[in-house]
Amino acid sequence: MAEEGAKGPAKAPQTAAEKQLLRRRQELDYWKKNAARIRSRNLLTGLTIGAFVVGMFSYTILSVKQERIMEELDDEAKIHIIRGPRTGANS
């Protein structure tokens, strides 16, 4: 019995509610310590995704405009082919 008293008071096992409370406190401490780092990572990720979306949108719009220009050039080429070459003899 004297040996048990030397070890210190026996700690009662934690209940589920105490474990959950401890876990929540640890998570809160983690978020407080790392909030700035996580925020900067989220900002970097958001800017990267936004830049990709803007780039893809711009590329798509540019491709459609070039396609329209090519169609207009094709139409003009067809007209010139049908009319024939413009030389001094037949103009």
Side-chain angles (χ1 to χ4, degrees):
M1 293 263 181
E3 292 177 12
E4 288 181 22
K7 290 181 184 177
K11 201 171 193 184
Q14 291 181 335
T15 63
E18 290 172 339
K19 288 179 184 178
Q20 186 177 14
L21 183 61
L22 179 63
R23 194 175 311 126
R24 286 189 182 187
R25 284 183 182 159
Q26 289 171 346
E27 288 178 5
L28 182 62
D29 289 340
Y30 172 79
W31 285 109
K32 284 181 181 178
K33 289 179 186 175
N34 299 315
R37 185 173 51 123
I38 292 170
R39 189 175 300 120
S40 64
R41 283 185 184 174
N42 287 345
L43 180 64
L44 180 64
T45 302
L47 289 175
T48 303
I49 292 172
F52 176 77
V53 168
V54 168
M56 186 63 69
F57 179 76
S58 300
Y59 174 76
T60 304
I61 295 299
L62 182 63
S63 297
V64 169
K65 285 182 180 178
Q66 286 180 348
E67 189 174 305
R68 288 182 185 164
I69 291 171
M70 291 304 291
E71 288 175 2
E72 290 174 5
L73 291 175
D74 289 341
D75 291 341
E76 290 177 12
K78 287 178 187 176
I79 292 171
H80 288 298
I81 290 172
I82 292 171
R83 286 186 183 170
R86 302 201 113 215
T87 61
N90 63 0
S91 53

